[in-house]
PDB file of all heavy atoms in Angstrom:
ATOM      1  N   ALA A1141       0.829  -1.213   0.000  1.00  0.00           N
ATOM      2  CA  ALA A1141       0.000   0.000   0.000  1.00  0.00           C
ATOM      3  C   ALA A1141       0.860   1.259   0.000  1.00  0.00           C
ATOM      4  O   ALA A1141       0.477   2.278  -0.598  1.00  0.00           O
ATOM      5  CB  ALA A1141      -0.941  -0.003   1.209  1.00  0.00           C
ATOM      6  N   ASP A1142       2.017   1.213   0.647  1.00  0.00           N
ATOM      7  CA  ASP A1142       2.919   2.367   0.643  1.00  0.00           C
ATOM      8  C   ASP A1142       3.407   2.659  -0.775  1.00  0.00           C
ATOM      9  O   ASP A1142       3.491   3.820  -1.189  1.00  0.00           O
ATOM     10  CB  ASP A1142       4.121   2.122   1.561  1.00  0.00           C
ATOM     11  CG  ASP A1142       3.737   1.994   3.018  1.00  0.00           C
ATOM     12  OD1 ASP A1142       2.966   2.842   3.510  1.00  0.00           O
ATOM     13  OD2 ASP A1142       4.201   1.046   3.675  1.00  0.00           O
ATOM     14  N   VAL A1143       3.738   1.611  -1.516  1.00  0.00           N
ATOM     15  CA  VAL A1143       4.176   1.782  -2.900  1.00  0.00           C
ATOM     16  C   VAL A1143       3.030   2.360  -3.731  1.00  0.00           C
ATOM     17  O   VAL A1143       3.238   3.254  -4.559  1.00  0.00           O
ATOM     18  CB  VAL A1143       4.689   0.451  -3.490  1.00  0.00           C
ATOM     19  CG1 VAL A1143       5.061   0.611  -4.965  1.00  0.00           C
ATOM     20  CG2 VAL A1143       5.887  -0.060  -2.691  1.00  0.00           C
ATOM     21  N   ASN A1144       1.805   1.869  -3.490  1.00  0.00           N
ATOM     22  CA  ASN A1144       0.639   2.410  -4.207  1.00  0.00           C
ATOM     23  C   ASN A1144       0.448   3.892  -3.910  1.00  0.00           C
ATOM     24  O   ASN A1144       0.066   4.660  -4.802  1.00  0.00           O
ATOM     25  CB  ASN A1144      -0.627   1.642  -3.857  1.00  0.00           C
ATOM     26  CG  ASN A1144      -0.598   0.199  -4.307  1.00  0.00           C
ATOM     27  OD1 ASN A1144      -1.111  -0.675  -3.625  1.00  0.00           O
ATOM     28  ND2 ASN A1144       0.025  -0.078  -5.443  1.00  0.00           N
ATOM     29  N   VAL A1145       0.680   4.320  -2.667  1.00  0.00           N
ATOM     30  CA  VAL A1145       0.583   5.743  -2.325  1.00  0.00           C
ATOM     31  C   VAL A1145       1.618   6.528  -3.123  1.00  0.00           C
ATOM     32  O   VAL A1145       1.301   7.571  -3.710  1.00  0.00           O
ATOM     33  CB  VAL A1145       0.772   5.973  -0.808  1.00  0.00           C
ATOM     34  CG1 VAL A1145       0.954   7.453  -0.499  1.00  0.00           C
ATOM     35  CG2 VAL A1145      -0.413   5.412  -0.027  1.00  0.00           C
ATOM     36  N   ILE A1146       2.841   6.036  -3.160  1.00  0.00           N
ATOM     37  CA  ILE A1146       3.899   6.722  -3.904  1.00  0.00           C
ATOM     38  C   ILE A1146       3.505   6.866  -5.367  1.00  0.00           C
ATOM     39  O   ILE A1146       3.635   7.945  -5.963  1.00  0.00           O
ATOM     40  CB  ILE A1146       5.240   5.970  -3.777  1.00  0.00           C
ATOM     41  CG1 ILE A1146       5.719   5.980  -2.317  1.00  0.00           C
ATOM     42  CG2 ILE A1146       6.291   6.571  -4.716  1.00  0.00           C
ATOM     43  CD1 ILE A1146       6.831   4.987  -2.022  1.00  0.00           C
ATOM     44  N   GLU A1147       2.992   5.795  -5.955  1.00  0.00           N
ATOM     45  CA  GLU A1147       2.625   5.801  -7.372  1.00  0.00           C
ATOM     46  C   GLU A1147       1.346   6.607  -7.652  1.00  0.00           C
ATOM     47  O   GLU A1147       1.083   6.961  -8.793  1.00  0.00           O
ATOM     48  CB  GLU A1147       2.438   4.367  -7.863  1.00  0.00           C
ATOM     49  CG  GLU A1147       3.728   3.572  -7.828  1.00  0.00           C
ATOM     50  CD  GLU A1147       3.526   2.092  -8.085  1.00  0.00           C
ATOM     51  OE1 GLU A1147       2.415   1.570  -7.839  1.00  0.00           O
ATOM     52  OE2 GLU A1147       4.495   1.452  -8.535  1.00  0.00           O
ATOM     53  N   GLY A1148       0.555   6.861  -6.604  1.00  0.00           N
ATOM     54  CA  GLY A1148      -0.680   7.607  -6.773  1.00  0.00           C
ATOM     55  C   GLY A1148      -1.884   6.738  -7.085  1.00  0.00           C
ATOM     56  O   GLY A1148      -2.932   7.242  -7.484  1.00  0.00           O
ATOM     57  N   SER A1149      -1.752   5.417  -6.888  1.00  0.00           N
ATOM     58  CA  SER A1149      -2.837   4.504  -7.239  1.00  0.00           C
ATOM     59  C   SER A1149      -3.611   3.979  -6.030  1.00  0.00           C
ATOM     60  O   SER A1149      -4.513   3.162  -6.198  1.00  0.00           O
ATOM     61  CB  SER A1149      -2.282   3.314  -8.039  1.00  0.00           C
ATOM     62  OG  SER A1149      -1.365   2.568  -7.255  1.00  0.00           O
ATOM     63  N   TYR A1150      -3.281   4.443  -4.831  1.00  0.00           N
ATOM     64  CA  TYR A1150      -3.981   3.989  -3.634  1.00  0.00           C
ATOM     65  C   TYR A1150      -5.306   4.730  -3.518  1.00  0.00           C
ATOM     66  O   TYR A1150      -5.449   5.852  -4.013  1.00  0.00           O
ATOM     67  CB  TYR A1150      -3.110   4.229  -2.393  1.00  0.00           C
ATOM     68  CG  TYR A1150      -3.577   3.499  -1.163  1.00  0.00           C
ATOM     69  CD1 TYR A1150      -3.497   2.115  -1.083  1.00  0.00           C
ATOM     70  CD2 TYR A1150      -4.106   4.181  -0.086  1.00  0.00           C
ATOM     71  CE1 TYR A1150      -3.930   1.429   0.042  1.00  0.00           C
ATOM     72  CE2 TYR A1150      -4.541   3.507   1.054  1.00  0.00           C
ATOM     73  CZ  TYR A1150      -4.448   2.130   1.112  1.00  0.00           C
ATOM     74  OH  TYR A1150      -4.883   1.455   2.223  1.00  0.00           O
ATOM     75  N   GLY A1151      -6.281   4.129  -2.854  1.00  0.00           N
ATOM     76  CA  GLY A1151      -7.610   4.718  -2.742  1.00  0.00           C
ATOM     77  C   GLY A1151      -7.652   6.060  -2.044  1.00  0.00           C
ATOM     78  O   GLY A1151      -8.397   6.955  -2.421  1.00  0.00           O
ATOM     79  N   ARG A1152      -6.850   6.240  -0.994  1.00  0.00           N
ATOM     80  CA  ARG A1152      -6.832   7.498  -0.236  1.00  0.00           C
ATOM     81  C   ARG A1152      -5.400   8.031  -0.255  1.00  0.00           C
ATOM     82  O   ARG A1152      -4.505   7.413   0.311  1.00  0.00           O
ATOM     83  CB  ARG A1152      -7.293   7.221   1.201  1.00  0.00           C
ATOM     84  CG  ARG A1152      -7.644   8.469   1.966  1.00  0.00           C
ATOM     85  CD  ARG A1152      -8.284   8.138   3.294  1.00  0.00           C
ATOM     86  NE  ARG A1152      -7.224   7.911   4.270  1.00  0.00           N
ATOM     87  CZ  ARG A1152      -7.379   7.238   5.397  1.00  0.00           C
ATOM     88  NH1 ARG A1152      -8.513   6.699   5.708  1.00  0.00           N
ATOM     89  NH2 ARG A1152      -6.378   7.097   6.229  1.00  0.00           N
ATOM     90  N   LEU A1153      -5.199   9.175  -0.879  1.00  0.00           N
ATOM     91  CA  LEU A1153      -3.856   9.730  -1.030  1.00  0.00           C
ATOM     92  C   LEU A1153      -3.657  10.926  -0.110  1.00  0.00           C
ATOM     93  O   LEU A1153      -4.580  11.698   0.135  1.00  0.00           O
ATOM     94  CB  LEU A1153      -3.634  10.158  -2.489  1.00  0.00           C
ATOM     95  CG  LEU A1153      -3.692   9.023  -3.513  1.00  0.00           C
ATOM     96  CD1 LEU A1153      -3.631   9.580  -4.923  1.00  0.00           C
ATOM     97  CD2 LEU A1153      -2.572   8.021  -3.280  1.00  0.00           C
ATOM     98  N   PRO A1154      -2.418  11.087   0.392  1.00  0.00           N
ATOM     99  CA  PRO A1154      -2.136  12.225   1.266  1.00  0.00           C
ATOM    100  C   PRO A1154      -2.023  13.526   0.483  1.00  0.00           C
ATOM    101  O   PRO A1154      -1.784  13.532  -0.726  1.00  0.00           O
ATOM    102  CB  PRO A1154      -0.775  11.858   1.880  1.00  0.00           C
ATOM    103  CG  PRO A1154      -0.119  11.031   0.822  1.00  0.00           C
ATOM    104  CD  PRO A1154      -1.241  10.239   0.178  1.00  0.00           C
ATOM    105  N   VAL A1155      -2.186  14.624   1.199  1.00  0.00           N
ATOM    106  CA  VAL A1155      -1.917  15.941   0.636  1.00  0.00           C
ATOM    107  C   VAL A1155      -0.400  16.057   0.496  1.00  0.00           C
ATOM    108  O   VAL A1155       0.344  15.692   1.409  1.00  0.00           O
ATOM    109  CB  VAL A1155      -2.482  17.049   1.561  1.00  0.00           C
ATOM    110  CG1 VAL A1155      -2.079  18.423   1.059  1.00  0.00           C
ATOM    111  CG2 VAL A1155      -3.990  16.912   1.693  1.00  0.00           C
ATOM    112  N   LEU A1156       0.049  16.538  -0.650  1.00  0.00           N
ATOM    113  CA  LEU A1156       1.489  16.637  -0.910  1.00  0.00           C
ATOM    114  C   LEU A1156       2.009  18.030  -0.574  1.00  0.00           C
ATOM    115  O   LEU A1156       1.274  19.003  -0.712  1.00  0.00           O
ATOM    116  CB  LEU A1156       1.770  16.319  -2.375  1.00  0.00           C
ATOM    117  CG  LEU A1156       1.348  14.923  -2.825  1.00  0.00           C
ATOM    118  CD1 LEU A1156       1.650  14.737  -4.304  1.00  0.00           C
ATOM    119  CD2 LEU A1156       2.035  13.838  -2.003  1.00  0.00           C
ATOM    120  N   PRO A1157       3.255  18.147  -0.161  1.00  0.00           N
ATOM    121  CA  PRO A1157       4.207  17.067   0.095  1.00  0.00           C
ATOM    122  C   PRO A1157       3.796  16.256   1.321  1.00  0.00           C
ATOM    123  O   PRO A1157       3.100  16.767   2.200  1.00  0.00           O
ATOM    124  CB  PRO A1157       5.534  17.796   0.336  1.00  0.00           C
ATOM    125  CG  PRO A1157       5.140  19.140   0.818  1.00  0.00           C
ATOM    126  CD  PRO A1157       3.818  19.458   0.159  1.00  0.00           C
ATOM    127  N   ALA A1158       4.233  14.996   1.345  1.00  0.00           N
ATOM    128  CA  ALA A1158       3.823  14.110   2.432  1.00  0.00           C
ATOM    129  C   ALA A1158       4.960  13.203   2.872  1.00  0.00           C
ATOM    130  O   ALA A1158       5.770  12.765   2.058  1.00  0.00           O
ATOM    131  CB  ALA A1158       2.653  13.246   1.983  1.00  0.00           C
ATOM    132  N   THR A1159       4.990  12.946   4.172  1.00  0.00           N
ATOM    133  CA  THR A1159       5.874  11.920   4.716  1.00  0.00           C
ATOM    134  C   THR A1159       5.155  10.595   4.522  1.00  0.00           C
ATOM    135  O   THR A1159       3.964  10.469   4.802  1.00  0.00           O
ATOM    136  CB  THR A1159       6.167  12.168   6.201  1.00  0.00           C
ATOM    137  OG1 THR A1159       6.837  13.423   6.327  1.00  0.00           O
ATOM    138  CG2 THR A1159       7.045  11.080   6.788  1.00  0.00           C
ATOM    139  N   LEU A1160       5.875   9.613   4.039  1.00  0.00           N
ATOM    140  CA  LEU A1160       5.298   8.307   3.721  1.00  0.00           C
ATOM    141  C   LEU A1160       5.223   7.401   4.939  1.00  0.00           C
ATOM    142  O   LEU A1160       5.783   7.690   5.988  1.00  0.00           O
ATOM    143  CB  LEU A1160       6.139   7.643   2.628  1.00  0.00           C
ATOM    144  CG  LEU A1160       6.198   8.425   1.322  1.00  0.00           C
ATOM    145  CD1 LEU A1160       7.290   7.867   0.427  1.00  0.00           C
ATOM    146  CD2 LEU A1160       4.851   8.394   0.633  1.00  0.00           C
ATOM    147  N   GLY A1161       4.572   6.265   4.772  1.00  0.00           N
ATOM    148  CA  GLY A1161       4.512   5.226   5.791  1.00  0.00           C
ATOM    149  C   GLY A1161       3.161   5.114   6.460  1.00  0.00           C
ATOM    150  O   GLY A1161       2.668   6.074   7.037  1.00  0.00           O
ATOM    151  N   ASN A1162       2.554   3.930   6.359  1.00  0.00           N
ATOM    152  CA  ASN A1162       1.242   3.678   6.928  1.00  0.00           C
ATOM    153  C   ASN A1162       1.277   2.890   8.227  1.00  0.00           C
ATOM    154  O   ASN A1162       0.245   2.752   8.877  1.00  0.00           O
ATOM    155  CB  ASN A1162       0.369   2.918   5.920  1.00  0.00           C
ATOM    156  CG  ASN A1162      -0.057   3.800   4.776  1.00  0.00           C
ATOM    157  OD1 ASN A1162      -0.637   4.848   4.986  1.00  0.00           O
ATOM    158  ND2 ASN A1162       0.235   3.391   3.562  1.00  0.00           N
ATOM    159  N   GLU A1163       2.405   2.335   8.580  1.00  0.00           N
ATOM    160  CA  GLU A1163       2.519   1.547   9.811  1.00  0.00           C
ATOM    161  C   GLU A1163       3.815   1.897  10.515  1.00  0.00           C
ATOM    162  O   GLU A1163       4.710   2.472   9.928  1.00  0.00           O
ATOM    163  CB  GLU A1163       2.549   0.041   9.494  1.00  0.00           C
ATOM    164  CG  GLU A1163       1.237  -0.570   9.184  1.00  0.00           C
ATOM    165  CD  GLU A1163       1.327  -2.080   9.158  1.00  0.00           C
ATOM    166  OE1 GLU A1163       2.076  -2.627   8.328  1.00  0.00           O
ATOM    167  OE2 GLU A1163       0.628  -2.711   9.965  1.00  0.00           O
ATOM    168  N   GLY A1164       3.908   1.476  11.768  1.00  0.00           N
ATOM    169  CA  GLY A1164       5.137   1.669  12.511  1.00  0.00           C
ATOM    170  C   GLY A1164       4.893   1.646  14.004  1.00  0.00           C
ATOM    171  O   GLY A1164       3.760   1.502  14.468  1.00  0.00           O
ATOM    172  N   VAL A1165       5.989   1.790  14.731  1.00  0.00           N
ATOM    173  CA  VAL A1165       5.922   1.842  16.185  1.00  0.00           C
ATOM    174  C   VAL A1165       6.956   2.850  16.668  1.00  0.00           C
ATOM    175  O   VAL A1165       8.030   2.990  16.094  1.00  0.00           O
ATOM    176  CB  VAL A1165       6.156   0.446  16.819  1.00  0.00           C
ATOM    177  CG1 VAL A1165       7.563  -0.071  16.541  1.00  0.00           C
ATOM    178  CG2 VAL A1165       5.892   0.464  18.310  1.00  0.00           C
ATOM    179  N   GLY A1166       6.578   3.575  17.712  1.00  0.00           N
ATOM    180  CA  GLY A1166       7.484   4.562  18.278  1.00  0.00           C
ATOM    181  C   GLY A1166       7.198   4.774  19.746  1.00  0.00           C
ATOM    182  O   GLY A1166       6.283   4.168  20.320  1.00  0.00           O
ATOM    183  N   VAL A1167       7.988   5.643  20.347  1.00  0.00           N
ATOM    184  CA  VAL A1167       7.857   5.946  21.772  1.00  0.00           C
ATOM    185  C   VAL A1167       7.553   7.433  21.929  1.00  0.00           C
ATOM    186  O   VAL A1167       8.212   8.276  21.314  1.00  0.00           O
ATOM    187  CB  VAL A1167       9.154   5.581  22.524  1.00  0.00           C
ATOM    188  CG1 VAL A1167       9.077   5.995  23.980  1.00  0.00           C
ATOM    189  CG2 VAL A1167       9.432   4.094  22.416  1.00  0.00           C
ATOM    190  N   VAL A1168       6.565   7.737  22.739  1.00  0.00           N
ATOM    191  CA  VAL A1168       6.197   9.129  22.999  1.00  0.00           C
ATOM    192  C   VAL A1168       7.357   9.816  23.726  1.00  0.00           C
ATOM    193  O   VAL A1168       7.880   9.304  24.714  1.00  0.00           O
ATOM    194  CB  VAL A1168       4.910   9.211  23.850  1.00  0.00           C
ATOM    195  CG1 VAL A1168       4.619  10.650  24.256  1.00  0.00           C
ATOM    196  CG2 VAL A1168       3.728   8.610  23.087  1.00  0.00           C
ATOM    197  N   GLU A1169       7.753  10.985  23.204  1.00  0.00           N
ATOM    198  CA  GLU A1169       8.815  11.783  23.832  1.00  0.00           C
ATOM    199  C   GLU A1169       8.262  12.954  24.623  1.00  0.00           C
ATOM    200  O   GLU A1169       8.822  13.336  25.633  1.00  0.00           O
ATOM    201  CB  GLU A1169       9.767  12.326  22.770  1.00  0.00           C
ATOM    202  CG  GLU A1169      10.662  11.304  22.142  1.00  0.00           C
ATOM    203  CD  GLU A1169      11.716  11.959  21.266  1.00  0.00           C
ATOM    204  OE1 GLU A1169      11.429  12.978  20.599  1.00  0.00           O
ATOM    205  OE2 GLU A1169      12.842  11.447  21.267  1.00  0.00           O
ATOM    206  N   ALA A1170       7.194  13.556  24.114  1.00  0.00           N
ATOM    207  CA  ALA A1170       6.614  14.739  24.761  1.00  0.00           C
ATOM    208  C   ALA A1170       5.151  14.835  24.356  1.00  0.00           C
ATOM    209  O   ALA A1170       4.756  14.330  23.306  1.00  0.00           O
ATOM    210  CB  ALA A1170       7.365  15.999  24.326  1.00  0.00           C
ATOM    211  N   VAL A1171       4.368  15.499  25.204  1.00  0.00           N
ATOM    212  CA  VAL A1171       2.949  15.684  24.899  1.00  0.00           C
ATOM    213  C   VAL A1171       2.549  17.130  25.155  1.00  0.00           C
ATOM    214  O   VAL A1171       3.132  17.819  25.982  1.00  0.00           O
ATOM    215  CB  VAL A1171       2.047  14.741  25.737  1.00  0.00           C
ATOM    216  CG1 VAL A1171       2.329  13.291  25.409  1.00  0.00           C
ATOM    217  CG2 VAL A1171       2.197  14.991  27.218  1.00  0.00           C
ATOM    218  N   GLY A1172       1.533  17.562  24.417  1.00  0.00           N
ATOM    219  CA  GLY A1172       0.944  18.869  24.644  1.00  0.00           C
ATOM    220  C   GLY A1172      -0.178  18.755  25.656  1.00  0.00           C
ATOM    221  O   GLY A1172      -0.519  17.657  26.116  1.00  0.00           O
ATOM    222  N   PRO A1173      -0.787  19.879  25.999  1.00  0.00           N
ATOM    223  CA  PRO A1173      -1.904  19.864  26.947  1.00  0.00           C
ATOM    224  C   PRO A1173      -3.074  19.025  26.436  1.00  0.00           C
ATOM    225  O   PRO A1173      -3.322  18.959  25.234  1.00  0.00           O
ATOM    226  CB  PRO A1173      -2.310  21.339  27.050  1.00  0.00           C
ATOM    227  CG  PRO A1173      -1.165  22.113  26.494  1.00  0.00           C
ATOM    228  CD  PRO A1173      -0.447  21.218  25.537  1.00  0.00           C
ATOM    229  N   GLY A1174      -3.756  18.359  27.353  1.00  0.00           N
ATOM    230  CA  GLY A1174      -4.957  17.612  27.018  1.00  0.00           C
ATOM    231  C   GLY A1174      -4.723  16.256  26.397  1.00  0.00           C
ATOM    232  O   GLY A1174      -5.602  15.723  25.735  1.00  0.00           O
ATOM    233  N   VAL A1175      -3.546  15.683  26.623  1.00  0.00           N
ATOM    234  CA  VAL A1175      -3.218  14.373  26.050  1.00  0.00           C
ATOM    235  C   VAL A1175      -3.047  13.365  27.173  1.00  0.00           C
ATOM    236  O   VAL A1175      -2.340  13.639  28.142  1.00  0.00           O
ATOM    237  CB  VAL A1175      -1.917  14.456  25.212  1.00  0.00           C
ATOM    238  CG1 VAL A1175      -1.488  13.094  24.717  1.00  0.00           C
ATOM    239  CG2 VAL A1175      -2.111  15.421  24.054  1.00  0.00           C
ATOM    240  N   ASP A1176      -3.681  12.181  27.043  1.00  0.00           N
ATOM    241  CA  ASP A1176      -3.541  11.182  28.102  1.00  0.00           C
ATOM    242  C   ASP A1176      -2.376  10.229  27.872  1.00  0.00           C
ATOM    243  O   ASP A1176      -2.121   9.344  28.679  1.00  0.00           O
ATOM    244  CB  ASP A1176      -4.848  10.418  28.339  1.00  0.00           C
ATOM    245  CG  ASP A1176      -5.181   9.417  27.249  1.00  0.00           C
ATOM    246  OD1 ASP A1176      -4.488   9.389  26.217  1.00  0.00           O
ATOM    247  OD2 ASP A1176      -6.138   8.650  27.436  1.00  0.00           O
ATOM    248  N   LEU A1177      -1.645  10.388  26.779  1.00  0.00           N
ATOM    249  CA  LEU A1177      -0.410   9.629  26.590  1.00  0.00           C
ATOM    250  C   LEU A1177       0.670  10.230  27.474  1.00  0.00           C
ATOM    251  O   LEU A1177       0.601  11.407  27.843  1.00  0.00           O
ATOM    252  CB  LEU A1177       0.032   9.682  25.125  1.00  0.00           C
ATOM    253  CG  LEU A1177      -0.903   9.030  24.111  1.00  0.00           C
ATOM    254  CD1 LEU A1177      -0.465   9.390  22.696  1.00  0.00           C
ATOM    255  CD2 LEU A1177      -0.930   7.523  24.308  1.00  0.00           C
ATOM    256  N   ARG A1178       1.686   9.433  27.773  1.00  0.00           N
ATOM    257  CA  ARG A1178       2.791   9.889  28.610  1.00  0.00           C
ATOM    258  C   ARG A1178       4.121   9.599  27.922  1.00  0.00           C
ATOM    259  O   ARG A1178       4.234   8.613  27.177  1.00  0.00           O
ATOM    260  CB  ARG A1178       2.781   9.173  29.969  1.00  0.00           C
ATOM    261  CG  ARG A1178       1.512   9.379  30.780  1.00  0.00           C
ATOM    262  CD  ARG A1178       1.474  10.810  31.341  1.00  0.00           C
ATOM    263  NE  ARG A1178       0.207  11.097  31.979  1.00  0.00           N
ATOM    264  CZ  ARG A1178      -0.754  11.854  31.468  1.00  0.00           C
ATOM    265  NH1 ARG A1178      -0.611  12.399  30.291  1.00  0.00           N
ATOM    266  NH2 ARG A1178      -1.876  12.073  32.116  1.00  0.00           N
ATOM    267  N   PRO A1179       5.148  10.413  28.168  1.00  0.00           N
ATOM    268  CA  PRO A1179       6.473  10.078  27.650  1.00  0.00           C
ATOM    269  C   PRO A1179       6.854   8.656  28.069  1.00  0.00           C
ATOM    270  O   PRO A1179       6.627   8.252  29.202  1.00  0.00           O
ATOM    271  CB  PRO A1179       7.386  11.127  28.291  1.00  0.00           C
ATOM    272  CG  PRO A1179       6.476  12.319  28.470  1.00  0.00           C
ATOM    273  CD  PRO A1179       5.141  11.704  28.868  1.00  0.00           C
ATOM    274  N   GLY A1180       7.379   7.919  27.110  1.00  0.00           N
ATOM    275  CA  GLY A1180       7.745   6.523  27.344  1.00  0.00           C
ATOM    276  C   GLY A1180       6.702   5.538  26.854  1.00  0.00           C
ATOM    277  O   GLY A1180       6.998   4.343  26.713  1.00  0.00           O
ATOM    278  N   ASP A1181       5.467   5.995  26.575  1.00  0.00           N
ATOM    279  CA  ASP A1181       4.440   5.096  26.056  1.00  0.00           C
ATOM    280  C   ASP A1181       4.816   4.605  24.661  1.00  0.00           C
ATOM    281  O   ASP A1181       5.285   5.383  23.816  1.00  0.00           O
ATOM    282  CB  ASP A1181       3.077   5.791  25.949  1.00  0.00           C
ATOM    283  CG  ASP A1181       2.349   5.929  27.272  1.00  0.00           C
ATOM    284  OD1 ASP A1181       2.780   5.300  28.265  1.00  0.00           O
ATOM    285  OD2 ASP A1181       1.344   6.671  27.313  1.00  0.00           O
ATOM    286  N   LEU A1182       4.584   3.322  24.421  1.00  0.00           N
ATOM    287  CA  LEU A1182       4.760   2.730  23.105  1.00  0.00           C
ATOM    288  C   LEU A1182       3.479   2.996  22.317  1.00  0.00           C
ATOM    289  O   LEU A1182       2.377   2.747  22.818  1.00  0.00           O
ATOM    290  CB  LEU A1182       4.992   1.222  23.259  1.00  0.00           C
ATOM    291  CG  LEU A1182       5.439   0.437  22.037  1.00  0.00           C
ATOM    292  CD1 LEU A1182       6.847   0.870  21.627  1.00  0.00           C
ATOM    293  CD2 LEU A1182       5.417  -1.058  22.345  1.00  0.00           C
ATOM    294  N   VAL A1183       3.604   3.522  21.090  1.00  0.00           N
ATOM    295  CA  VAL A1183       2.424   3.865  20.301  1.00  0.00           C
ATOM    296  C   VAL A1183       2.583   3.438  18.848  1.00  0.00           C
ATOM    297  O   VAL A1183       3.690   3.278  18.346  1.00  0.00           O
ATOM    298  CB  VAL A1183       2.107   5.378  20.346  1.00  0.00           C
ATOM    299  CG1 VAL A1183       1.697   5.825  21.736  1.00  0.00           C
ATOM    300  CG2 VAL A1183       3.271   6.200  19.827  1.00  0.00           C
ATOM    301  N   ARG A1184       1.416   3.301  18.203  1.00  0.00           N
ATOM    302  CA  ARG A1184       1.347   3.007  16.776  1.00  0.00           C
ATOM    303  C   ARG A1184       0.635   4.167  16.094  1.00  0.00           C
ATOM    304  O   ARG A1184      -0.521   4.455  16.408  1.00  0.00           O
ATOM    305  CB  ARG A1184       0.558   1.718  16.554  1.00  0.00           C
ATOM    306  CG  ARG A1184       0.343   1.395  15.085  1.00  0.00           C
ATOM    307  CD  ARG A1184      -0.480   0.141  14.896  1.00  0.00           C
ATOM    308  NE  ARG A1184      -1.873   0.269  15.274  1.00  0.00           N
ATOM    309  CZ  ARG A1184      -2.828   0.821  14.527  1.00  0.00           C
ATOM    310  NH1 ARG A1184      -2.531   1.361  13.372  1.00  0.00           N
ATOM    311  NH2 ARG A1184      -4.077   0.865  14.938  1.00  0.00           N
ATOM    312  N   PRO A1185       1.308   4.868  15.171  1.00  0.00           N
ATOM    313  CA  PRO A1185       0.623   5.910  14.412  1.00  0.00           C
ATOM    314  C   PRO A1185      -0.394   5.264  13.471  1.00  0.00           C
ATOM    315  O   PRO A1185      -0.188   4.162  12.991  1.00  0.00           O
ATOM    316  CB  PRO A1185       1.725   6.589  13.609  1.00  0.00           C
ATOM    317  CG  PRO A1185       2.994   6.006  14.046  1.00  0.00           C
ATOM    318  CD  PRO A1185       2.711   4.781  14.825  1.00  0.00           C
TER     319      PRO A1185
END
């Protein structure tokens, strides 16, 4: 699906310019007001 996004053939395309990638895992570093996540939480965008 990522390749389809790059080629422009995926059903839902991002507004360009765009950072690619539909899956992944990361760790929260900082949060703004009104967020129940905490630094150190493992998250999936």
Side-chain angles (χ1 to χ4, degrees):
D1142 295 312
V1143 176
N1144 295 144
V1145 168
I1146 296 166
E1147 295 170 335
S1149 63
Y1150 194 69
R1152 194 172 85 201
L1153 297 173
V1155 174
L1156 300 179
T1159 298
L1160 299 167
N1162 288 305
E1163 282 191 298
V1165 64
V1167 175
V1168 173
E1169 288 189 324
V1171 297
V1175 175
D1176 74 352
L1177 296 169
R1178 301 287 173 255
D1181 282 349
L1182 190 67
V1183 294
R1184 175 182 70 80

